[in-house]
Amino acid sequence: MYEQVLDPLFGSLGWSALAAALPLLVLFVLLGLVRMAAWKASLIALAVSLAIAVFIYPMPVGPALLSATLGAAFGFFPILWIVINAIWVYNMTVTTGHFDVLQRTFSRVSGDRRIQAVIIAFCFGALLEALAGFGTPVAITTVMLLALGFTPITSAVVALVANTAPVAFGALASPLVTLASVTDLPLSELGAMTGRQTPILAVVVPIVLVGIIDGLKGVRETLPATLTCGITFGLAQFAAANYISVPLADIVAALVAAGATVLLLKVWTPQGAAEPDTAAHTDSRAEIVRAYAPYLIIIAVFVVAQIGPVGDLLDAVTVKFNWPGLHVANAAGEELSLTDFKFNWLTSAGSLLLISGLLSIAAIRISGRDALDRYLGTYAQLKWPIVTVMSVLAIAYVMNASGQTATLGNWMAGAGGVFALIAPILGWLGTAVTGSDTSSNSLFGALQVAAANKVGIDPVLAAASNGSGGVLGKMISPQNLAIAAGAVGMSGEEGDIFRRVLPWSVVFLVAMCALAYLQSLPVLAWMVP
């Protein structure tokens, strides 16, 4: 059994922390400065993390490589398993034309483009984030906003800023599933804590979106709608994360917010808004029902899977085992559970999505052959993201198993009680560089817990703050900037978009840091589950 040593370099925690940070520094520099493709940068950083584990830490080559394979395996299942099946469902709706029907239903809700933008970028974007994440909402909503007549840069900026509050629960809570895995904290508690941070952000995001589009005048004219949308989203996200289902939090919030906004628009119209245009293309009620069917099926499948006897039956075939040949103890000699692998092949969110997709085939009337083509095509479409996510998770597991993460955590604990103030900043930096809140949680989650335990802060608060801060780094990540710029024909002009979104990212981050710090103090400690 490998036993971790936290100060392997000259017996100094400071020098050892500098060595432990090298894999992250290499990844950040290659992505942020060299602008290397994410999959190449992550593979190089993985090699660095292995070299540090073997040559600086006393970890033998065998366990080091095994920890990397465990991380890569977890990267595919359950993380990528969720993303692949979610995007497959979306790809099928594009093939059948039902995605176009969805887009038209949004444009008919209101003749006010500002309200349309909020519903598309915030509500529908949140639904896409819930089902797929990993840049999908930005790519799709940017194009939809452009089709509504917004300028390319406004479409990109609105889509990026909107993709904030839902991210922590994106891809059926993939960031939180990852966070639970690398920290060994309960998913339910992490979800509940996150559900007491990001909903506050959700309240103001719709208002900010209108401000970006139409300034203070637009904010005043649309305030009843934006407040309705933001408040109902926040309340629904809080309720779902704490009392219903962590993976379904964004789905519930997106549908409740959209529904509440639509109901309001039936009795109230923003000043200067035109009447909705329904003459251009009329979809039958049956087509509209079929367009929404896959998402309703997904909700139904997940709800049924939550029922006690059904959940127990599905979980009966779950296999949990220690990764062969890998045994790790911490510096105190206590064996760590991070070497366990849980193969819940029926209760996994990805598997439930696959079942939902199979049920959707008949609902949207796509042939089995086309559905299979779209499924295989989804793997081809995601080939480089697959390599990237598996590599980043491998880095996280090598750093966690070797003791690199624990070294960094113990060193950072020197910040003392103000550590809660900087916890969201770490998540923000991680997502800004990797483009993924999931990757940020995998890199920094265990570090947050180690530091929190050292300084006496609730580890659930620190870990959740990493993900909540991370959602605010997504709008400035090079990957998402490139996705947005490419979608609106602004490739090469990512810097212009970056300058527009950076101030909002920083303002939101400052607010999140203040919230996390106050939650670590008696003044808001009651918010911590």
Side-chain angles (χ1 to χ4, degrees):
M1 180 177 292
Y2 167 68
E3 186 170 317
Q4 296 175 343
V5 176
L6 303 187
D7 55 353
L9 194 59
F10 312 129
S12 166
L13 190 62
W15 282 107
S16 299
L18 182 61
L22 280 178
L24 302 179
L25 291 173
V26 168
L27 183 62
F28 290 175
V29 169
L30 292 179
L31 285 175
L33 298 180
V34 180
R35 307 295 291 273
M36 182 180 290
W39 68 272
K40 294 179 181 178
S42 58
L43 286 174
I44 293 173
L46 173 58
V48 173
S49 69
L50 287 168
I52 297 297
V54 172
F55 296 111
I56 302 297
Y57 286 75
M59 193 174 202
V61 174
L65 292 175
L66 285 172
S67 63
T69 60
L70 173 56
F74 181 79
F76 187 84
F77 187 96
I79 306 303
L80 286 164
W81 185 236
I82 296 171
V83 177
I84 290 166
N85 289 305
I87 294 182
W88 171 53
V89 174
Y90 159 72
N91 285 340
M92 285 196 296
T93 66
V94 171
T95 298
T96 60
H98 289 101
F99 179 72
D100 293 331
V101 177
L102 273 183
Q103 185 173 349
R104 287 192 289 271
T105 62
F106 294 141
S107 64
R108 294 192 191 104
V109 170
S110 171
D112 192 314
R113 290 196 311 156
R114 299 166 299 185
I115 304 299
Q116 292 175 12
V118 170
I119 293 174
I120 289 173
F122 187 70
C123 297
F124 186 58
L127 185 60
L128 291 173
E129 181 67 39
L131 300 176
F134 294 87
T136 303
V138 172
I140 295 172
T141 60
T142 300
V143 174
M144 294 175 71
L145 292 171
L146 192 64
L148 287 177
F150 291 102
T151 64
I153 192 167
T154 298
S155 299
V157 171
V158 169
L160 286 164
V161 174
N163 191 220
T164 48
V167 169
F169 297 94
L172 294 171
S174 289
L176 289 169
V177 171
T178 301
L179 190 60
S181 172
V182 299
T183 62
D184 207 24
L185 294 173
L187 174 62
S188 58
E189 291 187 15
L190 291 171
M193 185 67 247
T194 305
R196 303 176 191 200
Q197 293 177 325
T198 57
I200 298 173
L201 172 69
V203 173
V204 299
V205 169
I207 300 172
V208 169
L209 298 181
V210 173
I212 292 171
I213 294 169
D214 196 31
L216 290 176
K217 172 179 173 291
V219 169
R220 288 194 299 269
E221 293 178 351
T222 61
L223 198 57
T226 52
L227 279 176
T228 297
C229 185
I231 291 173
T232 55
F233 186 98
L235 289 174
Q237 191 183 60
F238 162 77
N242 281 270
Y243 306 113
I244 302 174
S245 167
V246 173
L248 289 178
D250 276 349
I251 295 178
V252 173
L255 294 177
V256 169
T261 307
V262 169
L263 289 176
L264 174 68
L265 292 170
K266 289 185 178 296
V267 298
W268 172 85
T269 302
Q271 183 180 346
E275 289 298 319
D277 180 15
T278 59
H281 193 295
T282 303
D283 298 300
S284 68
R285 186 182 299 273
E287 283 299 306
I288 294 174
V289 170
R290 278 194 286 271
Y292 282 91
Y295 308 104
L296 297 176
I297 289 172
I298 288 171
I299 294 172
V301 168
F302 274 83
V303 168
V304 170
Q306 300 289 327
I307 298 174
V310 177
D312 293 341
L313 182 63
L314 295 175
D315 199 43
V317 295
T318 294
V319 178
K320 185 176 181 180
F321 58 92
N322 184 273
W323 200 249
L326 183 60
H327 305 279
V328 178
N330 62 20
E334 301 164 338
E335 187 168 3
L336 299 176
S337 62
L338 60 83
T339 60
D340 292 337
F341 187 80
K342 184 178 180 181
F343 186 51
N344 53 330
W345 62 278
L346 272 184
T347 57
S348 163
S351 298
L352 296 179
L353 270 174
L354 177 61
I355 294 170
S356 302
L358 293 172
L359 294 174
S360 298
I361 290 175
I364 62 177
R365 297 183 177 178
I366 186 174
S367 70
R369 186 186 192 90
D370 284 344
L372 179 60
D373 287 344
R374 295 288 73 75
Y375 192 74
L376 297 177
T378 300
Y379 278 88
Q381 172 188 348
L382 296 174
K383 59 181 181 295
W384 297 126
I386 287 173
V387 174
T388 301
V389 173
M390 292 179 70
S391 299
V392 170
L393 266 296
I395 294 169
Y397 270 72
V398 170
M399 292 184 66
N400 289 347
S402 65
Q404 295 173 56
T405 301
T407 295
L408 286 168
N410 277 270
W411 176 73
M412 290 185 64
V418 298
F419 177 75
L421 187 66
I422 65 174
I425 298 176
L426 289 175
W428 179 76
L429 289 171
T431 305
V433 174
T434 66
S436 165
D437 199 35
T438 298
S439 297
S440 178
N441 282 346
S442 72
L443 290 171
F444 292 133
L447 183 155
Q448 297 273 16
V449 170
N453 286 327
K454 189 78 172 179
V455 301
I457 295 172
D458 192 304
V460 172
L461 170 61
S465 296
N466 190 87
S468 297
V471 308
L472 307 173
K474 198 159 188 178
M475 70 177 82
I476 62 170
S477 71
Q479 292 91 321
N480 282 303
L481 289 169
I483 289 171
V488 297
M490 291 183 62
S491 294
E493 300 177 60
E494 289 85 358
D496 294 336
I497 303 173
F498 175 78
R499 284 189 289 273
R500 290 278 298 272
V501 299
L502 179 61
W504 293 114
S505 182
V506 173
V507 168
F508 287 153
L509 177 63
V510 170
M512 188 60 69
C513 288
L515 175 62
Y517 182 60
L518 291 174
Q519 288 175 330
S520 72
L521 301 176
V523 62
L524 290 183
W526 53 269
M527 295 182 70
V528 180

